[in-house]
């Protein structure tokens, strides 16, 4: 039996928990905010979608993808609700 301190409050069955935490580092550029456009300097383009900062979250239903998505949502839930409510106000 292994007991872990779980700073993200998410757990799935596979892979093992320490590997799940390492996997989160693959998504360090994901944000609940729209990213700043930096691809071509001096070209002003409008971002076409709300939540564009979450574009790189995994989309699968495998345990690793679920772990990453739930960890993101739990850590930003109040901010996401605020943004959505403000958008529809």
């Amino acid at each position: 039996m292994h007991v872990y301190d779980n700073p993200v409050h998410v757990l799935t069955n596979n892979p093992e928990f320490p590997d799940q935490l390492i996997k989160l580092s693959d998504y360090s550029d994901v944000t609940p905010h729209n990213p700043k456009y930096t691809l071509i300097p001096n070209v002003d383009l409008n971002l076409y979608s709300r939540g564009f900062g979450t574009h790189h979250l995994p989309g699968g239903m495998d345990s690793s993808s679920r772990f990453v998505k739930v960890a993101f949502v739990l850590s930003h839930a109040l901010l996401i609700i605020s943004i959505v409510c403000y958008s529809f106000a």
Side-chain angles (χ1 to χ4, degrees):
M1 177 172 165
H2 298 281
V3 178
Y4 299 105
D5 180 26
N6 187 342
V8 296
H9 309 290
V10 180
L11 188 63
T12 58
N13 57 336
N14 194 28
E16 293 184 15
F17 184 69
D19 296 331
Q20 296 283 23
L21 290 179
I22 291 169
K23 181 75 172 166
L24 285 178
S25 67
D26 291 343
Y27 300 96
S28 61
D29 60 339
V30 174
T31 173
H33 304 287
N34 284 331
K36 181 180 178 187
Y37 178 78
T38 60
L39 183 63
I40 304 172
N42 303 322
V43 175
D44 187 24
L45 296 176
N46 291 326
L47 297 176
Y48 57 85
S49 176
R50 299 247 182 244
F52 198 67
T54 61
H55 177 73
H56 297 292
L57 281 174
M61 289 306 296
D62 58 286
S63 58
S64 290
S65 295
R66 292 191 321 264
F67 184 91
V68 171
K69 288 185 285 191
V70 172
F72 175 83
V73 170
L74 283 178
S75 65
H76 298 291
L78 292 177
L79 178 61
I80 291 169
I81 290 169
S82 298
I83 291 170
V84 169
C85 290
Y86 179 75
S87 297
F88 289 110

